[in-house]
PDB file of all heavy atoms in Angstrom:
ATOM      1  N   ILE A  48     -16.348   4.273  11.054  1.00  0.00           N
ATOM      2  CA  ILE A  48     -15.297   4.278  12.069  1.00  0.00           C
ATOM      3  C   ILE A  48     -15.591   5.417  13.030  1.00  0.00           C
ATOM      4  O   ILE A  48     -15.741   6.561  12.604  1.00  0.00           O
ATOM      5  CB  ILE A  48     -13.906   4.439  11.442  1.00  0.00           C
ATOM      6  CG1 ILE A  48     -13.629   3.274  10.488  1.00  0.00           C
ATOM      7  CG2 ILE A  48     -12.838   4.502  12.526  1.00  0.00           C
ATOM      8  CD1 ILE A  48     -12.338   3.393   9.744  1.00  0.00           C
ATOM      9  N   ARG A  49     -15.706   5.087  14.329  1.00  0.00           N
ATOM     10  CA  ARG A  49     -15.976   6.085  15.367  1.00  0.00           C
ATOM     11  C   ARG A  49     -14.869   6.058  16.411  1.00  0.00           C
ATOM     12  O   ARG A  49     -14.372   4.998  16.758  1.00  0.00           O
ATOM     13  CB  ARG A  49     -17.308   5.812  16.056  1.00  0.00           C
ATOM     14  CG  ARG A  49     -18.502   6.067  15.189  1.00  0.00           C
ATOM     15  CD  ARG A  49     -19.776   6.020  15.970  1.00  0.00           C
ATOM     16  NE  ARG A  49     -20.098   4.632  16.345  1.00  0.00           N
ATOM     17  CZ  ARG A  49     -20.831   4.299  17.375  1.00  0.00           C
ATOM     18  NH1 ARG A  49     -21.318   5.215  18.174  1.00  0.00           N
ATOM     19  NH2 ARG A  49     -21.083   3.040  17.640  1.00  0.00           N
ATOM     20  N   ALA A  50     -14.519   7.238  16.908  1.00  0.00           N
ATOM     21  CA  ALA A  50     -13.551   7.365  17.997  1.00  0.00           C
ATOM     22  C   ALA A  50     -14.256   8.055  19.165  1.00  0.00           C
ATOM     23  O   ALA A  50     -14.186   9.268  19.317  1.00  0.00           O
ATOM     24  CB  ALA A  50     -12.348   8.173  17.542  1.00  0.00           C
ATOM     25  N   PRO A  51     -14.984   7.300  20.009  1.00  0.00           N
ATOM     26  CA  PRO A  51     -15.798   7.938  21.040  1.00  0.00           C
ATOM     27  C   PRO A  51     -15.032   8.505  22.227  1.00  0.00           C
ATOM     28  O   PRO A  51     -15.495   9.449  22.856  1.00  0.00           O
ATOM     29  CB  PRO A  51     -16.729   6.817  21.493  1.00  0.00           C
ATOM     30  CG  PRO A  51     -16.019   5.565  21.172  1.00  0.00           C
ATOM     31  CD  PRO A  51     -15.159   5.861  19.974  1.00  0.00           C
ATOM     32  N   LYS A  52     -13.845   7.964  22.557  1.00  0.00           N
ATOM     33  CA  LYS A  52     -13.181   8.384  23.784  1.00  0.00           C
ATOM     34  C   LYS A  52     -11.858   9.110  23.592  1.00  0.00           C
ATOM     35  O   LYS A  52     -11.418   9.807  24.488  1.00  0.00           O
ATOM     36  CB  LYS A  52     -12.962   7.168  24.679  1.00  0.00           C
ATOM     37  CG  LYS A  52     -14.271   6.565  25.145  1.00  0.00           C
ATOM     38  CD  LYS A  52     -14.056   5.466  26.132  1.00  0.00           C
ATOM     39  CE  LYS A  52     -15.394   4.914  26.593  1.00  0.00           C
ATOM     40  NZ  LYS A  52     -15.234   3.898  27.603  1.00  0.00           N
ATOM     41  N   SER A  53     -11.205   8.935  22.449  1.00  0.00           N
ATOM     42  CA  SER A  53      -9.956   9.655  22.182  1.00  0.00           C
ATOM     43  C   SER A  53      -9.713   9.705  20.678  1.00  0.00           C
ATOM     44  O   SER A  53     -10.340   8.965  19.914  1.00  0.00           O
ATOM     45  CB  SER A  53      -8.765   8.991  22.892  1.00  0.00           C
ATOM     46  OG  SER A  53      -8.422   7.790  22.254  1.00  0.00           O
ATOM     47  N   ALA A  54      -8.816  10.569  20.269  1.00  0.00           N
ATOM     48  CA  ALA A  54      -8.507  10.725  18.847  1.00  0.00           C
ATOM     49  C   ALA A  54      -7.887   9.444  18.291  1.00  0.00           C
ATOM     50  O   ALA A  54      -7.237   8.693  19.007  1.00  0.00           O
ATOM     51  CB  ALA A  54      -7.559  11.899  18.646  1.00  0.00           C
ATOM     52  N   ALA A  55      -8.109   9.222  16.997  1.00  0.00           N
ATOM     53  CA  ALA A  55      -7.555   8.050  16.321  1.00  0.00           C
ATOM     54  C   ALA A  55      -6.795   8.506  15.082  1.00  0.00           C
ATOM     55  O   ALA A  55      -7.309   9.290  14.288  1.00  0.00           O
ATOM     56  CB  ALA A  55      -8.669   7.090  15.932  1.00  0.00           C
ATOM     57  N   HIS A  56      -5.580   8.020  14.932  1.00  0.00           N
ATOM     58  CA  HIS A  56      -4.768   8.311  13.747  1.00  0.00           C
ATOM     59  C   HIS A  56      -5.048   7.216  12.729  1.00  0.00           C
ATOM     60  O   HIS A  56      -4.818   6.044  12.998  1.00  0.00           O
ATOM     61  CB  HIS A  56      -3.288   8.339  14.110  1.00  0.00           C
ATOM     62  CG  HIS A  56      -2.953   9.383  15.107  1.00  0.00           C
ATOM     63  ND1 HIS A  56      -2.615  10.659  14.749  1.00  0.00           N
ATOM     64  CD2 HIS A  56      -2.939   9.360  16.463  1.00  0.00           C
ATOM     65  CE1 HIS A  56      -2.381  11.371  15.831  1.00  0.00           C
ATOM     66  NE2 HIS A  56      -2.583  10.601  16.891  1.00  0.00           N
ATOM     67  N   MET A  57      -5.539   7.613  11.540  1.00  0.00           N
ATOM     68  CA  MET A  57      -5.932   6.641  10.525  1.00  0.00           C
ATOM     69  C   MET A  57      -5.077   6.805   9.279  1.00  0.00           C
ATOM     70  O   MET A  57      -4.730   7.917   8.895  1.00  0.00           O
ATOM     71  CB  MET A  57      -7.385   6.840  10.106  1.00  0.00           C
ATOM     72  CG  MET A  57      -8.380   6.734  11.195  1.00  0.00           C
ATOM     73  SD  MET A  57     -10.088   6.772  10.596  1.00  0.00           S
ATOM     74  CE  MET A  57     -10.053   8.063   9.401  1.00  0.00           C
ATOM     75  N   SER A  71     -18.602  12.526   6.165  1.00  0.00           N
ATOM     76  CA  SER A  71     -18.372  12.873   7.557  1.00  0.00           C
ATOM     77  C   SER A  71     -18.725  14.340   7.761  1.00  0.00           C
ATOM     78  O   SER A  71     -18.616  15.134   6.835  1.00  0.00           O
ATOM     79  CB  SER A  71     -16.902  12.638   7.915  1.00  0.00           C
ATOM     80  OG  SER A  71     -16.646  13.027   9.232  1.00  0.00           O
ATOM     81  N   PRO A  72     -19.131  14.726   8.986  1.00  0.00           N
ATOM     82  CA  PRO A  72     -19.325  16.153   9.246  1.00  0.00           C
ATOM     83  C   PRO A  72     -17.994  16.897   9.353  1.00  0.00           C
ATOM     84  O   PRO A  72     -17.960  18.118   9.371  1.00  0.00           O
ATOM     85  CB  PRO A  72     -20.084  16.169  10.572  1.00  0.00           C
ATOM     86  CG  PRO A  72     -19.731  14.893  11.229  1.00  0.00           C
ATOM     87  CD  PRO A  72     -19.512  13.910  10.133  1.00  0.00           C
ATOM     88  N   LEU A  73     -16.888  16.162   9.389  1.00  0.00           N
ATOM     89  CA  LEU A  73     -15.564  16.758   9.478  1.00  0.00           C
ATOM     90  C   LEU A  73     -15.082  17.149   8.083  1.00  0.00           C
ATOM     91  O   LEU A  73     -15.653  16.747   7.076  1.00  0.00           O
ATOM     92  CB  LEU A  73     -14.596  15.745  10.109  1.00  0.00           C
ATOM     93  CG  LEU A  73     -15.078  15.134  11.421  1.00  0.00           C
ATOM     94  CD1 LEU A  73     -14.209  13.964  11.793  1.00  0.00           C
ATOM     95  CD2 LEU A  73     -15.079  16.173  12.513  1.00  0.00           C
ATOM     96  N   LYS A  74     -14.017  17.919   8.025  1.00  0.00           N
ATOM     97  CA  LYS A  74     -13.469  18.326   6.735  1.00  0.00           C
ATOM     98  C   LYS A  74     -12.593  17.210   6.174  1.00  0.00           C
ATOM     99  O   LYS A  74     -11.440  17.054   6.553  1.00  0.00           O
ATOM    100  CB  LYS A  74     -12.657  19.608   6.868  1.00  0.00           C
ATOM    101  CG  LYS A  74     -13.504  20.821   7.140  1.00  0.00           C
ATOM    102  CD  LYS A  74     -12.678  22.075   7.064  1.00  0.00           C
ATOM    103  CE  LYS A  74     -13.586  23.273   7.234  1.00  0.00           C
ATOM    104  NZ  LYS A  74     -12.865  24.523   7.061  1.00  0.00           N
ATOM    105  N   VAL A  75     -13.165  16.425   5.282  1.00  0.00           N
ATOM    106  CA  VAL A  75     -12.455  15.336   4.615  1.00  0.00           C
ATOM    107  C   VAL A  75     -12.765  15.428   3.124  1.00  0.00           C
ATOM    108  O   VAL A  75     -13.775  16.015   2.729  1.00  0.00           O
ATOM    109  CB  VAL A  75     -12.871  13.943   5.153  1.00  0.00           C
ATOM    110  CG1 VAL A  75     -12.476  13.782   6.606  1.00  0.00           C
ATOM    111  CG2 VAL A  75     -14.345  13.698   4.981  1.00  0.00           C
ATOM    112  N   PHE A  85      -5.032   7.717   2.127  1.00  0.00           N
ATOM    113  CA  PHE A  85      -5.692   8.797   2.853  1.00  0.00           C
ATOM    114  C   PHE A  85      -5.247   8.732   4.306  1.00  0.00           C
ATOM    115  O   PHE A  85      -5.381   7.692   4.947  1.00  0.00           O
ATOM    116  CB  PHE A  85      -7.214   8.632   2.738  1.00  0.00           C
ATOM    117  CG  PHE A  85      -8.019   9.547   3.610  1.00  0.00           C
ATOM    118  CD1 PHE A  85      -8.074  10.901   3.356  1.00  0.00           C
ATOM    119  CD2 PHE A  85      -8.742   9.049   4.681  1.00  0.00           C
ATOM    120  CE1 PHE A  85      -8.826  11.742   4.150  1.00  0.00           C
ATOM    121  CE2 PHE A  85      -9.501   9.885   5.479  1.00  0.00           C
ATOM    122  CZ  PHE A  85      -9.543  11.230   5.210  1.00  0.00           C
ATOM    123  N   SER A  86      -4.692   9.809   4.817  1.00  0.00           N
ATOM    124  CA  SER A  86      -4.277   9.882   6.225  1.00  0.00           C
ATOM    125  C   SER A  86      -5.089  10.963   6.921  1.00  0.00           C
ATOM    126  O   SER A  86      -5.323  12.038   6.355  1.00  0.00           O
ATOM    127  CB  SER A  86      -2.791  10.215   6.332  1.00  0.00           C
ATOM    128  OG  SER A  86      -2.025   9.190   5.783  1.00  0.00           O
ATOM    129  N   TYR A  87      -5.500  10.679   8.161  1.00  0.00           N
ATOM    130  CA  TYR A  87      -6.364  11.624   8.868  1.00  0.00           C
ATOM    131  C   TYR A  87      -6.296  11.342  10.366  1.00  0.00           C
ATOM    132  O   TYR A  87      -6.098  10.199  10.782  1.00  0.00           O
ATOM    133  CB  TYR A  87      -7.813  11.459   8.372  1.00  0.00           C
ATOM    134  CG  TYR A  87      -8.736  12.560   8.808  1.00  0.00           C
ATOM    135  CD1 TYR A  87      -8.636  13.833   8.279  1.00  0.00           C
ATOM    136  CD2 TYR A  87      -9.713  12.321   9.756  1.00  0.00           C
ATOM    137  CE1 TYR A  87      -9.481  14.844   8.677  1.00  0.00           C
ATOM    138  CE2 TYR A  87     -10.570  13.325  10.162  1.00  0.00           C
ATOM    139  CZ  TYR A  87     -10.450  14.587   9.621  1.00  0.00           C
ATOM    140  OH  TYR A  87     -11.289  15.579  10.025  1.00  0.00           O
ATOM    141  N   VAL A  88      -6.475  12.369  11.160  1.00  0.00           N
ATOM    142  CA  VAL A  88      -6.607  12.216  12.607  1.00  0.00           C
ATOM    143  C   VAL A  88      -8.079  12.442  12.935  1.00  0.00           C
ATOM    144  O   VAL A  88      -8.600  13.547  12.795  1.00  0.00           O
ATOM    145  CB  VAL A  88      -5.716  13.214  13.375  1.00  0.00           C
ATOM    146  CG1 VAL A  88      -5.944  13.067  14.876  1.00  0.00           C
ATOM    147  CG2 VAL A  88      -4.256  12.997  13.032  1.00  0.00           C
ATOM    148  N   LEU A  89      -8.748  11.383  13.311  1.00  0.00           N
ATOM    149  CA  LEU A  89     -10.160  11.440  13.666  1.00  0.00           C
ATOM    150  C   LEU A  89     -10.259  11.955  15.096  1.00  0.00           C
ATOM    151  O   LEU A  89      -9.727  11.335  16.016  1.00  0.00           O
ATOM    152  CB  LEU A  89     -10.771  10.047  13.548  1.00  0.00           C
ATOM    153  CG  LEU A  89     -12.271   9.915  13.607  1.00  0.00           C
ATOM    154  CD1 LEU A  89     -12.920  10.663  12.449  1.00  0.00           C
ATOM    155  CD2 LEU A  89     -12.662   8.454  13.560  1.00  0.00           C
ATOM    156  N   PRO A  90     -10.911  13.107  15.321  1.00  0.00           N
ATOM    157  CA  PRO A  90     -10.945  13.665  16.680  1.00  0.00           C
ATOM    158  C   PRO A  90     -11.835  12.859  17.620  1.00  0.00           C
ATOM    159  O   PRO A  90     -12.616  12.014  17.187  1.00  0.00           O
ATOM    160  CB  PRO A  90     -11.520  15.074  16.461  1.00  0.00           C
ATOM    161  CG  PRO A  90     -12.315  14.971  15.218  1.00  0.00           C
ATOM    162  CD  PRO A  90     -11.633  13.950  14.367  1.00  0.00           C
ATOM    163  N   LYS A  91     -11.697  13.150  18.909  1.00  0.00           N
ATOM    164  CA  LYS A  91     -12.529  12.515  19.926  1.00  0.00           C
ATOM    165  C   LYS A  91     -13.996  12.775  19.588  1.00  0.00           C
ATOM    166  O   LYS A  91     -14.376  13.881  19.210  1.00  0.00           O
ATOM    167  CB  LYS A  91     -12.192  13.109  21.291  1.00  0.00           C
ATOM    168  CG  LYS A  91     -12.968  12.545  22.440  1.00  0.00           C
ATOM    169  CD  LYS A  91     -12.529  13.197  23.737  1.00  0.00           C
ATOM    170  CE  LYS A  91     -13.333  12.706  24.903  1.00  0.00           C
ATOM    171  NZ  LYS A  91     -12.906  13.336  26.143  1.00  0.00           N
ATOM    172  N   LYS A  92     -14.823  11.753  19.693  1.00  0.00           N
ATOM    173  CA  LYS A  92     -16.251  11.767  19.370  1.00  0.00           C
ATOM    174  C   LYS A  92     -16.515  12.012  17.885  1.00  0.00           C
ATOM    175  O   LYS A  92     -17.622  12.351  17.494  1.00  0.00           O
ATOM    176  CB  LYS A  92     -17.008  12.795  20.216  1.00  0.00           C
ATOM    177  CG  LYS A  92     -16.970  12.481  21.693  1.00  0.00           C
ATOM    178  CD  LYS A  92     -17.801  13.449  22.494  1.00  0.00           C
ATOM    179  CE  LYS A  92     -17.706  13.116  23.957  1.00  0.00           C
ATOM    180  NZ  LYS A  92     -18.479  14.040  24.790  1.00  0.00           N
ATOM    181  N   GLY A  93     -15.517  11.836  17.039  1.00  0.00           N
ATOM    182  CA  GLY A  93     -15.680  11.999  15.600  1.00  0.00           C
ATOM    183  C   GLY A  93     -15.998  10.671  14.929  1.00  0.00           C
ATOM    184  O   GLY A  93     -15.808   9.604  15.498  1.00  0.00           O
ATOM    185  N   TYR A  94     -16.515  10.761  13.699  1.00  0.00           N
ATOM    186  CA  TYR A  94     -16.806   9.551  12.933  1.00  0.00           C
ATOM    187  C   TYR A  94     -16.655   9.844  11.450  1.00  0.00           C
ATOM    188  O   TYR A  94     -16.698  10.988  11.010  1.00  0.00           O
ATOM    189  CB  TYR A  94     -18.211   9.013  13.246  1.00  0.00           C
ATOM    190  CG  TYR A  94     -19.322   9.968  12.919  1.00  0.00           C
ATOM    191  CD1 TYR A  94     -19.931   9.959  11.666  1.00  0.00           C
ATOM    192  CD2 TYR A  94     -19.780  10.884  13.856  1.00  0.00           C
ATOM    193  CE1 TYR A  94     -20.961  10.839  11.362  1.00  0.00           C
ATOM    194  CE2 TYR A  94     -20.799  11.760  13.569  1.00  0.00           C
ATOM    195  CZ  TYR A  94     -21.388  11.734  12.315  1.00  0.00           C
ATOM    196  OH  TYR A  94     -22.394  12.607  12.019  1.00  0.00           O
ATOM    197  N   ILE A  95     -16.459   8.772  10.693  1.00  0.00           N
ATOM    198  CA  ILE A  95     -16.319   8.885   9.246  1.00  0.00           C
ATOM    199  C   ILE A  95     -16.889   7.621   8.609  1.00  0.00           C
ATOM    200  O   ILE A  95     -16.749   6.525   9.141  1.00  0.00           O
ATOM    201  CB  ILE A  95     -14.842   9.117   8.851  1.00  0.00           C
ATOM    202  CG1 ILE A  95     -14.719   9.447   7.377  1.00  0.00           C
ATOM    203  CG2 ILE A  95     -13.978   7.940   9.215  1.00  0.00           C
ATOM    204  CD1 ILE A  95     -13.350   9.975   7.000  1.00  0.00           C
ATOM    205  N   ILE A 111      -5.074   1.905  11.924  1.00  0.00           N
ATOM    206  CA  ILE A 111      -5.638   2.847  12.890  1.00  0.00           C
ATOM    207  C   ILE A 111      -4.924   2.679  14.230  1.00  0.00           C
ATOM    208  O   ILE A 111      -4.677   1.557  14.672  1.00  0.00           O
ATOM    209  CB  ILE A 111      -7.150   2.625  13.083  1.00  0.00           C
ATOM    210  CG1 ILE A 111      -7.869   2.662  11.737  1.00  0.00           C
ATOM    211  CG2 ILE A 111      -7.738   3.660  14.024  1.00  0.00           C
ATOM    212  CD1 ILE A 111      -9.318   2.288  11.811  1.00  0.00           C
ATOM    213  N   GLU A 112      -4.619   3.806  14.871  1.00  0.00           N
ATOM    214  CA  GLU A 112      -3.989   3.780  16.191  1.00  0.00           C
ATOM    215  C   GLU A 112      -4.667   4.817  17.077  1.00  0.00           C
ATOM    216  O   GLU A 112      -4.909   5.943  16.641  1.00  0.00           O
ATOM    217  CB  GLU A 112      -2.500   4.075  16.079  1.00  0.00           C
ATOM    218  CG  GLU A 112      -1.779   3.989  17.397  1.00  0.00           C
ATOM    219  CD  GLU A 112      -0.283   4.170  17.254  1.00  0.00           C
ATOM    220  OE1 GLU A 112       0.229   4.163  16.134  1.00  0.00           O
ATOM    221  OE2 GLU A 112       0.375   4.329  18.299  1.00  0.00           O
ATOM    222  N   SER A 113      -4.973   4.429  18.311  1.00  0.00           N
ATOM    223  CA  SER A 113      -5.650   5.320  19.240  1.00  0.00           C
ATOM    224  C   SER A 113      -5.238   4.972  20.669  1.00  0.00           C
ATOM    225  O   SER A 113      -4.821   3.852  20.946  1.00  0.00           O
ATOM    226  CB  SER A 113      -7.164   5.175  19.087  1.00  0.00           C
ATOM    227  OG  SER A 113      -7.843   5.989  19.997  1.00  0.00           O
ATOM    228  N   LYS A 114      -5.380   5.929  21.569  1.00  0.00           N
ATOM    229  CA  LYS A 114      -5.079   5.683  22.987  1.00  0.00           C
ATOM    230  C   LYS A 114      -6.157   4.816  23.631  1.00  0.00           C
ATOM    231  O   LYS A 114      -5.898   4.086  24.574  1.00  0.00           O
ATOM    232  CB  LYS A 114      -4.976   6.999  23.758  1.00  0.00           C
ATOM    233  CG  LYS A 114      -3.804   7.828  23.365  1.00  0.00           C
ATOM    234  CD  LYS A 114      -2.568   7.375  24.069  1.00  0.00           C
ATOM    235  CE  LYS A 114      -1.430   8.307  23.736  1.00  0.00           C
ATOM    236  NZ  LYS A 114      -0.158   7.799  24.117  1.00  0.00           N
ATOM    237  N   LYS A 115      -7.386   4.929  23.146  1.00  0.00           N
ATOM    238  CA  LYS A 115      -8.499   4.146  23.685  1.00  0.00           C
ATOM    239  C   LYS A 115      -9.192   3.432  22.530  1.00  0.00           C
ATOM    240  O   LYS A 115      -8.876   3.642  21.368  1.00  0.00           O
ATOM    241  CB  LYS A 115      -9.471   5.047  24.426  1.00  0.00           C
ATOM    242  CG  LYS A 115      -8.809   5.731  25.604  1.00  0.00           C
ATOM    243  CD  LYS A 115      -9.793   6.206  26.596  1.00  0.00           C
ATOM    244  CE  LYS A 115      -9.009   6.804  27.754  1.00  0.00           C
ATOM    245  NZ  LYS A 115      -9.844   7.214  28.813  1.00  0.00           N
ATOM    246  N   GLN A 116     -10.173   2.613  22.853  1.00  0.00           N
ATOM    247  CA  GLN A 116     -10.849   1.815  21.844  1.00  0.00           C
ATOM    248  C   GLN A 116     -11.617   2.684  20.854  1.00  0.00           C
ATOM    249  O   GLN A 116     -12.114   3.749  21.198  1.00  0.00           O
ATOM    250  CB  GLN A 116     -11.811   0.840  22.494  1.00  0.00           C
ATOM    251  CG  GLN A 116     -11.112  -0.259  23.244  1.00  0.00           C
ATOM    252  CD  GLN A 116     -12.088  -1.244  23.834  1.00  0.00           C
ATOM    253  OE1 GLN A 116     -13.245  -0.931  24.059  1.00  0.00           O
ATOM    254  NE2 GLN A 116     -11.612  -2.445  24.087  1.00  0.00           N
ATOM    255  N   PHE A 117     -11.719   2.197  19.641  1.00  0.00           N
ATOM    256  CA  PHE A 117     -12.526   2.822  18.606  1.00  0.00           C
ATOM    257  C   PHE A 117     -13.461   1.759  18.045  1.00  0.00           C
ATOM    258  O   PHE A 117     -13.291   0.570  18.310  1.00  0.00           O
ATOM    259  CB  PHE A 117     -11.650   3.439  17.508  1.00  0.00           C
ATOM    260  CG  PHE A 117     -10.570   2.532  17.015  1.00  0.00           C
ATOM    261  CD1 PHE A 117     -10.815   1.638  15.995  1.00  0.00           C
ATOM    262  CD2 PHE A 117      -9.319   2.541  17.588  1.00  0.00           C
ATOM    263  CE1 PHE A 117      -9.832   0.781  15.554  1.00  0.00           C
ATOM    264  CE2 PHE A 117      -8.318   1.701  17.157  1.00  0.00           C
ATOM    265  CZ  PHE A 117      -8.584   0.806  16.132  1.00  0.00           C
ATOM    266  N   ILE A 118     -14.454   2.172  17.271  1.00  0.00           N
ATOM    267  CA  ILE A 118     -15.496   1.266  16.803  1.00  0.00           C
ATOM    268  C   ILE A 118     -15.478   1.237  15.284  1.00  0.00           C
ATOM    269  O   ILE A 118     -15.450   2.276  14.631  1.00  0.00           O
ATOM    270  CB  ILE A 118     -16.874   1.727  17.317  1.00  0.00           C
ATOM    271  CG1 ILE A 118     -16.850   1.736  18.849  1.00  0.00           C
ATOM    272  CG2 ILE A 118     -17.984   0.846  16.789  1.00  0.00           C
ATOM    273  CD1 ILE A 118     -18.006   2.466  19.472  1.00  0.00           C
TER     274      ILE A 118
END
Side-chain angles (χ1 to χ4, degrees):
I48 299 176
R49 290 190 288 155
K52 295 186 179 183
S53 73
H56 299 271
M57 301 187 317
S71 177
L73 309 168
K74 290 188 176 185
V75 295
F85 171 70
S86 296
Y87 192 71
V88 177
L89 192 62
K91 180 179 177 180
K92 297 184 181 179
Y94 61 91
I95 189 167
I111 306 173
E112 183 175 349
S113 178
K114 293 277 185 193
K115 299 200 177 184
Q116 290 182 337
F117 47 87
I118 300 166

